[in-house]
Amino acid sequence: MELTPAELTVLGLVIERPQHGYDLEQVIDRRGIRQWTDIGFSSIYYLLAKLAKRGLVHAPDAPDAARSRRVFHATAAGRRAAAEGALALIRELRPVPHPLLVGIANLPLLSEREYAEALRARLAQVEERVAAVCAAERAQEPSARAAREVFSYSLSLLEAERSWLAARVQVPR
């Protein structure tokens, strides 16, 4: 049973601790999870409903009238699916669409000046993102191994992009 990254993220948080949608929103926000996933506030309940329909989570004795107060718990099938999904995502190299590459592939449409300005603007955004990830990491201390690894990997990717951009912002005008 394959899970999308968003489904696996929400399921993993429910496995970590049974919670309702609002709790999940708070954890996602506090941990800076939106820095590396595309889970919007409005999609949390949608994802929970999909996971429940597939038998991966359930909300025992949840009154229908209080949908937002339903506390979701992972099922045994949910725990197995999450473990299998996590292993697959760690083990397998998968292509990741990157909009930057689409922009670069269309360089003939830009002047050298436009390209250099765009690179400088992106570098400034990467610098801001590094600061935000570092702040989110500090806010989580002491953190679990999984959180430390997410922050470490995220910062490594950002540092690599920062290095690449810094070498290119020297593009002559």
Side-chain angles (χ1 to χ4, degrees), residues 48-167:
L48 287 168
K50 280 180 66 177
L51 293 169
K53 186 175 180 181
R54 293 167 68 186
L56 304 177
V57 299
H58 69 100
D61 303 325
D64 289 337
R67 288 179 47 105
S68 64
R69 298 272 186 220
R70 293 172 40 185
V71 175
F72 289 86
H73 299 256
T75 64
R79 291 175 186 279
R80 281 191 305 277
E84 290 168 8
L87 280 173
L89 289 175
I90 292 168
R91 181 183 300 131
E92 301 166 12
L93 182 62
R94 298 179 183 194
V96 178
H98 203 299
L100 173 65
L101 297 177
V102 176
I104 292 171
N106 285 284
L107 273 182
L109 304 173
L110 306 176
S111 70
E112 285 294 320
R113 182 171 173 256
E114 289 172 318
Y115 181 51
E117 287 174 4
L119 290 175
R120 279 192 284 280
R122 186 177 184 94
L123 179 58
Q125 291 174 31
V126 168
E127 297 285 355
E128 290 173 6
R129 179 72 55 89
V130 166
V133 171
C134 288
E137 182 179 31
R138 282 190 303 275
Q140 299 302 310
E141 291 178 358
S143 56
R145 181 175 181 220
R148 289 191 311 269
E149 292 291 83
V150 166
F151 287 121
S152 173
Y153 185 74
S154 297
L155 286 170
S156 294
L157 292 176
L158 287 166
E159 291 293 340
E161 183 167 354
R162 179 166 50 188
S163 175
W164 185 86
L165 288 164

Side-chain angles (χ1 to χ4, degrees), residues 9-86:
T9 301
V10 168
L11 180 56
L13 292 172
V14 170
I15 289 170
E16 189 178 293
R17 181 176 64 86
Q19 46 199 320
H20 54 74
Y22 182 76
D23 287 338
L24 288 166
E25 166 61 23
Q26 297 302 305
V27 170
I28 288 167
D29 188 51
R30 187 174 59 251
R31 293 186 187 175
I33 291 174
R34 287 201 178 86
Q35 300 287 331
W36 46 268
T37 65
D38 59 350
I39 300 172
F41 176 75
S42 61
S43 64
I44 292 172
Y45 289 101
Y46 170 75
L47 291 167
L48 287 168
K50 280 180 66 177
L51 293 169
K53 186 175 180 181
R54 293 167 68 186
L56 304 177
V57 299
H58 69 100
D61 303 325
D64 289 337
R67 288 179 47 105
S68 64
R69 298 272 186 220
R70 293 172 40 185
V71 175
F72 289 86
H73 299 256
T75 64
R79 291 175 186 279
R80 281 191 305 277
E84 290 168 8

